[in-house]
Amino acid sequence: MPDPAPPADTLLDAIRAVVGDRGLLTGRADTAAYTEDWRRLYQGRTAAVVRPGSTQELAEIVRLCAAAGTPIVPQGGNTSMVGGAVPNEDGSEIVVSLARLNRIRDLDPIDMTMTVEAGVTLKAAQLAAADRGCLLPLSISSEGTAQIGGVLAVNAGGNNTVRHGNARDLVLGLEVVLPDGTIWNGLRRLRKDNTGYCLRQLFVGSEGTLGIITAAVLKLVPQPKEIEAALCAVQTPEAALDLFTRFQAHDPAAISAFELMSGLGLSFVLKHIPGATLPLETAAPFTVLVELATPRPQAGLRAMLEQVLERALEDGTVADAVIAESEAQRASLWKLREEHSEGQKREGASVKNDVSVPVSQVPAFIRKATAACEALIPGVRVVPFGHMGDGNIHFNLEQPVDADPAWFLAQDHAIMDAVNDVVREFDGSFSAEHGIGRLKPYMMPDWRGGAELDLMQRIKAAIDPGGIMNPGKVLPPRP
Ligand code: 2HG
Ligand code: ZN
């Protein structure tokens, strides 16, 4: 069991000897930013934030903590939606920030791979790939802050899953510091490598509970030669699905994103985010942002987009549409989608449900879950949005106007349970891309109980027998 007492001064002295003064933050003012999540739902405490400058330094730190029984909370950009990267309140846990492991070790446009350290932001990795004529096909709203280590630790999904899969689909190799301080160097960049258990996939999605990812080999793809984006107003989620199937019928491989926004979510963005403007005549109950991309030159994407939209406008499936005429316009359409979390945050307190259902069931799910939540909390404002093309909807609930935010947040389990009951009816998942963190371990027995959870607990006990890696995250306490 990890030690619940604050780390001893002798441990902190030993850590300082490894990372130096610049690698160790101890004062409350210096550590504050690392102890709470961006929504301020969790406010933890820590005696120290360690910022190692190399994998070797990190391994030494982990060895020291393992010997002392001191728990470690690994942290990247601290953008977790589920409190996965913040320490608990008793001050016993040390935060390890990966931010200084920020080198791109290698990028090979022939192998189409890049080897990136954990602290590189996703945006920086994308730009480095683009610089060499490649695309790192993973895009999430927080990519300017989120770091590769955290992105892999939660198996982030994002906007391009419909085309390129989730983070785990892009990982060829990993370097990990294990809970006893051993460095596992699995940084292979092979497309084929059947050599026993696929260990890298065990760490991807484990949210720092089995070890700390320090570097990864990521797959790249050719940069698109044509990209087209359009914003389409629709009356219903059914119409959005209809539009999706029309693009699928033309060329499913060309759809790089198909994002849904509710009128309410969009109104929060327009109200709270400076510079956000709606290039459509009127706001609709739902809006789709569709993006098509292809690495083939002269593939005729624009013609295809126009053809599908003309037909949909004619038959009323789409009420209004605008096609981006420049990179700047495409970016401004994406801003409307990517600022949803921020717009919602500025509007008030919200309860988030990061769920997935089969794509074909998204409209029915939205209708049923909306009815369930409105019956549960009169006046609640339902804000479903997200990655419709892969079935991942952020079924978020905004506090009723004028309600007390604390009162509303105290209903979070009741709200999440009501939504999850509907998710279950549609054979969906209660956690699509944000992970389990601190928010959802209590759901695990219900959803993944029996053999599955038992196996997870046994894997955890085998790899981290001292229980020092990100305790309290992902897995519920053993009965
Ligand atoms: C997104 O898709 C993120 O923008 C955040 O996954 C979703 O705020 C949310 O619920
Ligand atoms: Zn998302």
Side-chain angles (χ1 to χ4, degrees):
M1 284 299 286
D3 191 345
D9 286 347
T10 47
L11 175 62
L12 298 185
D13 289 345
I15 289 175
R16 188 176 287 107
V18 176
V19 293
D21 280 334
R22 82 184 261 246
L24 183 67
L25 312 176
T26 49
R28 187 97 179 110
D30 290 339
T31 60
Y34 299 82
T35 54
E36 66 178 18
D37 65 310
W38 69 280
R39 287 205 293 155
R40 312 198 70 203
L41 292 184
Y42 298 100
Q43 277 152 45
R45 282 199 311 124
T46 190
V49 174
V50 187
R51 293 165 46 92
S54 67
T55 301
Q56 288 67 25
E57 279 186 13
L58 174 60
E60 193 53 40
I61 302 306
V62 173
R63 243 191 307 276
L64 291 167
C65 289
T70 296
I72 295 172
V73 178
Q75 192 179 99
N78 199 11
T79 58
S80 173
M81 297 277 171
V82 288
V86 287
N88 69 15
E89 290 75 21
D90 72 14
S92 64
E93 300 175 341
I94 280 183
V95 175
V96 168
S97 162
L98 280 301
R100 286 178 64 216
L101 299 189
N102 60 1
R103 288 182 314 133
I104 294 180
R105 294 189 192 168
D106 179 63
L107 198 155
D108 193 321
I110 295 177
D111 292 332
M112 295 294 270
T113 58
M114 69 194 299
T115 307
V116 199
E117 291 187 348
V120 174
T121 64
L122 177 52
K123 185 87 204 163
Q126 291 167 348
L127 291 174
D131 225 31
R132 304 289 298 277
C134 303
L135 174 74
L136 173 59
L138 186 73
S139 170
I140 60 178
S141 301
S142 57
E143 62 201 21
T145 311
Q147 297 171 6
I148 292 294
V151 161
L152 297 181
V154 302
N155 182 28
N159 306 329
N160 301 138
T161 301
V162 61
R163 171 77 168 281
H164 296 285
N166 297 302
R168 73 163 75 254
D169 299 301
L170 302 175
V171 179
L172 293 174
L174 277 191
E175 179 186 84
V176 179
V177 172
L178 301 174
D180 64 357
T182 305
I183 299 172
W184 169 48
N185 184 342
L187 287 174
R188 295 183 284 270
R189 50 181 163 157
L190 305 172
R191 304 278 164 161
K192 288 187 170 175
D193 177 28
N194 284 352
T195 48
Y197 302 139
C198 185
L199 295 179
R200 68 181 185 278
Q201 294 297 4
L202 197 55
F203 292 98
V204 176
S206 68
E207 302 184 35
T209 60
L210 299 178
I212 304 177
I213 295 172
T214 49
V217 181
L218 303 175
K219 273 190 229 172
L220 304 174
V221 299
Q223 239 177 6
K225 295 269 190 316
E226 284 183 32
I227 305 184
E228 297 289 345
L231 198 66
C232 317
V234 294
Q235 293 299 327
T236 61
E238 284 78 3
L241 181 64
D242 187 350
L243 188 62
F244 180 64
T245 59
R246 292 178 193 207
F247 283 112
Q248 269 191 320
H250 268 74
D251 184 358
I255 307 172
S256 57
F258 194 92
E259 299 284 313
L260 183 73
M261 294 165 270
S262 71
L264 195 56
L266 208 46
S267 76
F268 295 159
V269 174
L270 296 169
K271 178 171 161 194
H272 296 294
I273 306 297
T277 49
L278 185 67
L280 296 168
E281 294 281 295
T282 47
F286 289 91
T287 302
V288 165
L289 173 55
V290 58
E291 187 168 272
L292 309 175
T294 175
R296 285 182 293 129
Q298 282 135 28
L301 283 190
R302 177 64 179 235
M304 167 185 28
L305 181 62
E306 284 175 356
Q307 195 184 333
V308 172
L309 291 183
E310 267 167 34
R311 179 73 53 82
L313 282 160
E314 264 163 36
D315 66 22
T317 305
V318 166
D320 191 7
V322 62
I323 298 179
E325 295 295 348
S326 64
E327 265 307 293
Q329 272 182 21
R330 189 167 72 88
S332 69
L333 298 189
W334 272 107
K335 183 181 169 91
L336 294 173
R337 166 62 189 85
E338 290 184 333
E339 293 289 356
H340 261 61
S341 302
E342 194 55 38
Q344 239 201 308
K345 182 178 166 201
R346 294 189 193 176
E347 180 68 15
S350 57
V351 173
K352 292 180 184 289
N353 296 278
D354 164 43
V355 304
S356 59
V357 295
V359 178
S360 60
Q361 303 302 309
V362 166
F365 162 75
I366 289 178
R367 283 187 189 283
K368 243 185 152 167
T370 300
C373 291
E374 287 176 348
L376 184 73
I377 302 196
V380 73
R381 292 176 291 166
V382 181
V383 188
F385 66 93
H387 320 290
M388 182 164 190
D390 63 50
N392 173 198
I393 296 298
H394 301 303
F395 195 83
N396 295 350
L397 286 311
E398 192 77 22
Q399 64 170 82
V401 180
D402 296 334
D404 171 18
W407 168 85
F408 182 67
L409 288 175
Q411 321 290 314
D412 63 344
H413 282 208
I415 294 172
M416 292 191 290
D417 291 351
V419 173
N420 286 342
D421 284 347
V422 184
V423 171
R424 204 185 291 276
E425 279 180 49
F426 289 96
D427 282 338
S429 170
F430 70 104
S431 170
E433 62 167 7
H434 295 166
I436 304 296
R438 239 175 113 172
L439 184 65
K440 299 185 178 175
Y442 83 95
M443 298 180 191
M444 289 293 273
D446 204 20
W447 284 83
R448 296 286 178 265
E452 203 168 345
L453 184 54
D454 183 52
L455 204 48
M456 289 191 211
Q457 305 266 29
R458 281 155 56 192
I459 289 169
K460 168 77 176 170
I463 296 181
D464 180 21
I468 64 161
M469 282 294 166
N470 218 3
K473 316 288 169 40
V474 183
L475 300 176
R478 271 181 183 255

